[in-house]
């Protein structure tokens, strides 16, 4: 087993990669949603397989950092796609986001108990192999989605200074709410 600090590093590694890679992942997702969705999800699958196969702390942390890197690309594209679709049908924006949230919640609500059963029956590595399979299936599904990034966005330079955004109280409030959630 891992020590308490080692466990903390493993659990927090994906969040650290998300924090450090969010701006880059978002910029890539703005150039083309579909490759970011598929590529990010394939990276997630690779990282989950790496988690299952890791035999010591160092490769386990690398795999978990990879998970965060894949998530920052795939999730940026997912949210961008939702925003694009919301712009096409603004009257359905709230319902589309709610459906996305419900799907994520269903994955957690079903995945946690199923993961517990898998872990009891076959060991904890089986959970990560199952998630690897789910990520591979998801990446195949993503190949069927339309590309929604516009040509105008493809030529945009990501010159947004995130620290400048935080000077606006609304962005500070939203950021604080996200951190607390």
């Amino acid at each position: 087993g891992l020590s308490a600090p080692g466990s903390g590093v493993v659990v927090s590694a994906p969040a650290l990669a998300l924090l450090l890679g969010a701006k880059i992942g978002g910029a890539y997702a703005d150039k083309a949603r579909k490759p970011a969705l598929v590529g990010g999800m394939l990276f997630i699958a690779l990282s989950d397989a790496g988690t299952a196969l890791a035999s010591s702390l160092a490769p386990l942390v690398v795999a978990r950092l990879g998970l965060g890197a894949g998530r920052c690309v795939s999730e940026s594209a997912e949210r961008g796609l939702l925003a694009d679709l919301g712009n096409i049908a603004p009257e359905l924006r709230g319902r589309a986001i709610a459906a996305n949230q419900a799907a994520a919640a269903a994955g957690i609500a079903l995945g946690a108990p199923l993961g517990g059963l898998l872990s009891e029956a076959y060991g904890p590595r089986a959970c990560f192999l199952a998630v690897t399979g789910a990520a591979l299936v998801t990446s195949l599904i993503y190949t069927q989605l339309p590309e929604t990034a516009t040509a105008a966005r493809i030529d945009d330079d990501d010159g947004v200074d995130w620290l400048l955004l935080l000077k606006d109280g609304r962005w500070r409030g939203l950021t604080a709410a996200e951190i607390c959630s």
Side-chain angles (χ1 to χ4, degrees):
L2 292 173
S3 66
S7 295
V9 168
V10 169
V11 169
S12 64
L16 178 63
L18 274 163
L19 175 67
L20 297 176
K23 188 172 182 181
I24 295 166
Y28 179 66
D30 277 343
K31 293 185 186 321
R33 306 275 191 240
K34 198 169 173 176
L37 283 165
V38 174
M41 192 55 64
L42 288 173
F43 207 79
I44 289 169
L46 178 66
S47 299
D48 284 333
T51 299
L53 300 173
S55 58
S56 65
L57 183 60
L60 181 58
V61 170
V62 169
R64 302 315 286 163
L65 287 168
L67 171 67
R71 284 185 57 199
C72 76
V73 173
S74 184
E75 290 177 14
S76 292
E78 174 189 291
R79 288 175 179 93
L81 179 95
L82 283 169
D84 295 342
L85 296 175
N87 290 335
I88 294 169
E91 70 282 2
L92 299 175
R93 184 177 291 134
R95 285 177 268 183
I97 292 170
N100 177 263
Q101 290 173 319
I108 294 167
L110 294 172
L114 290 175
L117 291 172
L118 271 175
S119 184
E120 282 184 10
Y122 303 104
R125 294 177 193 269
C127 298
F128 292 101
L129 293 174
V131 174
T132 298
L136 289 171
V137 169
T138 301
S139 67
L140 285 174
I141 292 169
Y142 282 165
T143 66
Q144 302 306 304
L145 294 174
E147 176 59 64
T148 61
T150 64
R153 239 184 281 143
I154 292 171
D155 294 329
D156 281 351
D157 177 31
D158 183 22
V160 175
D161 181 350
W162 287 15
L163 293 177
L164 268 177
L165 287 176
L166 293 177
K167 289 183 179 183
D168 182 330
R170 295 171 296 181
W171 284 103
R172 280 194 311 269
L174 178 62
T175 302
E178 281 294 316
I179 290 170
C180 292
S181 68

